[in-house]
């Protein structure tokens, strides 16, 4: 592998304090990277002009990016089993854009691709293991430094092309062929009328796309230093240890006091809540004036947030107390807080179930169930790390989080939500079910299930069958563009 060589400009005859610019050397692979980086830029610009959030276009962009990465860097970054699994997770997340059309999941999957991509780059270049909590901040630092830290590298690579005779020969051949084409094509047009019609249509098509295509090619060219700089920095990175952050030393007594206060607070909360949940509707209305439905529909999102906050508090407290060997009383206080958090999650799940049984299921309510299930698994891992010395919480939690996110993406949430609500409506024809949400709040994956309802039902904006037909026309438009195409939209467009 070639190394970056620093060259200094000749010393000036006059005194100068200016620091000489670093000059980046390049080999044949670096020069071949220039058109590849341009292609990535053009693809990205095309996705930016898509009418709607891109589907297949994102999958294609990720595929092209990693193909260029593998070619330029080599397969060394995929030697370990963990790195291959991480690559598989990234590929599965990218594939969801081509399969499903849930806009909420698409937005968060873009975030997931950035997070997992940063972690993969950190372990690929040897800066950090994927199982270390600092892998993500180091990966983001690597992305930022590589993207904007070596922008002049692309210009230096262009200058190095002067010595590449093969490229000059190709350019010379193109220039010599141009006058021949200008001479021969008009003769062929006169010789064959049908060929003349075909050429005319091609020229008209090129004329319509010329302005737009040139503009996008120009924008893609502007992005070349960014993409080139990132890959170039990865190839020539200095593999040295870097500390992004470190935990300070804190007296374990501080963690003990905080955990004790929170344990007492949650114990009081659980006792009060238990009397409301198990006292029955009559008791709740007599004491507080609240109906059971009003009580059930409130508070579960706050309870889930509190449980997540408790998990963070436990991890920080155990980390601060690690220097003192994790005293037994600190372990017990952490265990009590984990058990209380489990009861809080159970209460939130019970309230959510009561609410869903009356008002139906939605994407947000489904995500709440998913979030509670994930938190329960995280608390189990935290309990293990409290009592077992050396247990790696982040490594196990990271695997659980990625696996849980993939399951959420591939279980087709919108279709399940629609199926549940349609079954609920057919059972009691409840007016509480939000049919407007089913027709406009869910993705194209839900249309097949919603069609099980009678078409003459009146929804907010008209008859159900008319609204579904409008959604199918919308899906057909999405499926007609390769950038926004997805299997979900294509299937919905077919009817």
């Amino acid at each position: 592998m070639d190394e970056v060589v620093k060259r200094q400009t000749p010393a000036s005859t006059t005194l100068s304090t200016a620091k000489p610019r670093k000059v980046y050397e390049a080999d044949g692979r670096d020069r071949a990277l220039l058109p590849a980086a341009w292609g990535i830029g053009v693809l990205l610009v095309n996705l930016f002009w898509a009418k709607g959030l891109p589907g297949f276009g994102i999958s294609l962009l990720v595929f092209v990016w990693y193909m260029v990465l593998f070619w330029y860097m080599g397969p060394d970054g995929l030697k370990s089993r963990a790195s291959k699994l991480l690559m598989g997770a990234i590929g599965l997340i990218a594939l969801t854009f081509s399969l499903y059309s849930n806009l909420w999941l698409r937005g968060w999957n873009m975030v997931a691709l950035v997070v997992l991509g940063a972690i993969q780059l950190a372990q690929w270049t040897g800066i950090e293991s994927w199982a270390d909590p600092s892998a993500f901040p180091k990966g983001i630092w690597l992305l930022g430094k590589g993207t904007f830290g070596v922008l002049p590298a692309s210009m230096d690579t262009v200058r190095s092309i002067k010595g590449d005779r093969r490229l000059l020969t190709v350019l010379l051949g193109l220039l010599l062929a141009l006058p021949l084409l200008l001479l021969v094509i008009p003769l062929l047009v006169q010789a064959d009328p049908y060929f003349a019609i075909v050429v005319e249509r091609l020229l008209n098509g090129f004329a319509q796309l010329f302005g737009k295509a040139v503009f996008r090619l120009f924008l893609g060219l502007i992005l070349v230093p960014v993409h080139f700089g990132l890959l170039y920095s990865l190839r020539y990175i200095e593999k040295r240890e870097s500390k992004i952050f470190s935990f300070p030393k804190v007296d374990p007594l501080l963690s003990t006091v905080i955990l004790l206060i929170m344990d007492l607070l949650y114990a009081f909360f659980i006792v009060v809540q238990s009397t409301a949940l198990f006292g029955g509707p009559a008791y709740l209305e007599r004491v507080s004036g609240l109906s059971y439905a009003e009580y059930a529909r409130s508070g579960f999102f706050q309870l889930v947030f509190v449980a997540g906050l408790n998990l963070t508090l436990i991890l920080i407290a155990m980390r601060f107390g690690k220097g003192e060997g994790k005293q037994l009383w600190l372990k017990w206080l952490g265990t009590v807080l984990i058990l209380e958090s489990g009861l809080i999650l159970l209460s939130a799940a019970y309230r959510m179930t009561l609410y869903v049984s009356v008002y139906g299921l939605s994407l947000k309510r489904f995500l709440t169930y998913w979030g509670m299930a994930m938190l329960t698994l995280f608390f189990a891992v935290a309990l293990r790390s409290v009592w077992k010395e050396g247990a790696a919480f982040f490594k196990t939690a990271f695997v659980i989080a990625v696996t849980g996110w993939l399951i959420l993406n591939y279980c087709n949430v919108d279709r399940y939500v629609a199926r549940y609500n349609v079954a609920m409506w057919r059972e009691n024809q409840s007016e509480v079910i939000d049919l407007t949400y089913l027709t406009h709040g869910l993705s194209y994956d839900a249309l097949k299930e919603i069609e099980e309802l009678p078409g003459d039902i009146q929804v907010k904006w008209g008859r159900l069958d008319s609204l579904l037909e409008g959604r199918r026309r919308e899906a057909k438009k999405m499926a007609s563009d390769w950038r926004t195409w997805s299997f979900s939209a294509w299937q919905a467009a077919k009817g």
Side-chain angles (χ1 to χ4, degrees), residues 211-433:
K212 184 185 297 184
V214 169
F215 180 64
R216 294 182 180 180
L217 287 172
F218 176 72
L219 290 181
L221 187 63
I222 293 177
L223 295 176
V224 166
V226 175
H227 300 128
F228 181 90
L230 175 57
L231 291 169
Y232 186 91
S233 66
L234 292 177
R235 186 182 182 193
Y236 299 110
I237 192 170
E238 297 178 12
K239 299 180 181 179
R240 63 179 185 273
E241 291 294 328
S242 58
K243 294 290 183 181
I244 300 297
F245 63 86
S246 58
F247 288 96
K249 293 183 179 180
V250 179
D251 190 342
L253 182 60
L254 178 62
S255 301
T256 302
V257 173
I258 296 176
L259 289 180
L260 179 60
I261 292 175
M262 300 306 294
D263 285 348
L264 294 175
L265 172 63
Y266 290 129
F268 176 70
F269 175 81
I270 290 171
V271 170
V272 173
Q273 189 182 54
S274 298
T275 58
L277 286 175
F278 302 108
Y283 173 82
L284 181 64
E285 187 171 1
R286 184 176 70 255
V287 174
S288 61
L290 295 172
S291 67
Y292 211 55
E294 290 174 335
Y295 183 73
R297 69 183 299 177
S298 64
F300 36 74
F301 294 115
Q302 291 86 342
L303 293 179
V304 173
F305 176 79
V306 166
L309 185 64
N310 291 345
L311 178 62
T312 305
L313 178 62
I314 292 168
L315 295 176
I316 295 176
M318 292 299 108
R319 179 65 178 176
F320 284 161
K322 192 173 183 179
E324 300 294 328
K326 291 186 183 178
Q327 290 87 343
L328 183 61
W329 31 270
L330 190 60
K331 292 181 179 181
W332 277 111
L333 288 174
T335 301
V336 171
L337 185 56
I338 290 175
L339 295 177
E340 289 175 336
S341 300
L343 291 176
I344 290 175
L345 283 175
L346 186 62
S347 168
Y350 181 69
R351 286 193 186 190
M352 177 62 76
T353 303
L354 288 176
Y355 187 66
V356 169
S357 64
V358 176
Y359 296 98
L361 193 61
S362 68
L363 175 62
K364 183 186 291 186
R365 296 160 199 168
F366 187 95
L367 290 173
T368 304
Y369 278 118
W370 176 83
M372 288 186 290
M374 296 300 296
L375 280 174
T376 301
L377 294 175
F378 291 154
F379 276 118
V381 178
L383 184 62
R384 173 174 170 264
S385 64
V386 166
W387 289 99
K388 184 177 180 181
E389 293 291 338
F393 173 83
F394 179 81
K395 182 177 182 179
T396 307
F398 178 80
V399 175
I400 292 175
V402 173
T403 304
W405 185 253
L406 289 174
I407 292 175
L408 175 66
N409 274 274
Y410 280 89
C411 69
N412 206 340
V413 179
D414 285 349
R415 174 167 289 187
Y416 181 81
V417 169
R419 183 181 303 161
Y420 180 92
N421 286 282
V422 168
M424 188 175 179
W425 188 92
R426 297 177 70 177
E427 182 178 347
N428 52 26
Q429 296 191 4
S430 172
E431 296 182 358
V432 179
I433 301 299

Side-chain angles (χ1 to χ4, degrees), residues 130-155:
W130 66 271
D132 193 283
S134 63
F136 173 65
K138 288 180 180 178
I140 292 296
W141 168 81
L142 182 64
L143 285 172
K145 181 181 179 182
T147 301
F148 303 104
V150 293
L151 291 179
S154 58
M155 298 305 300

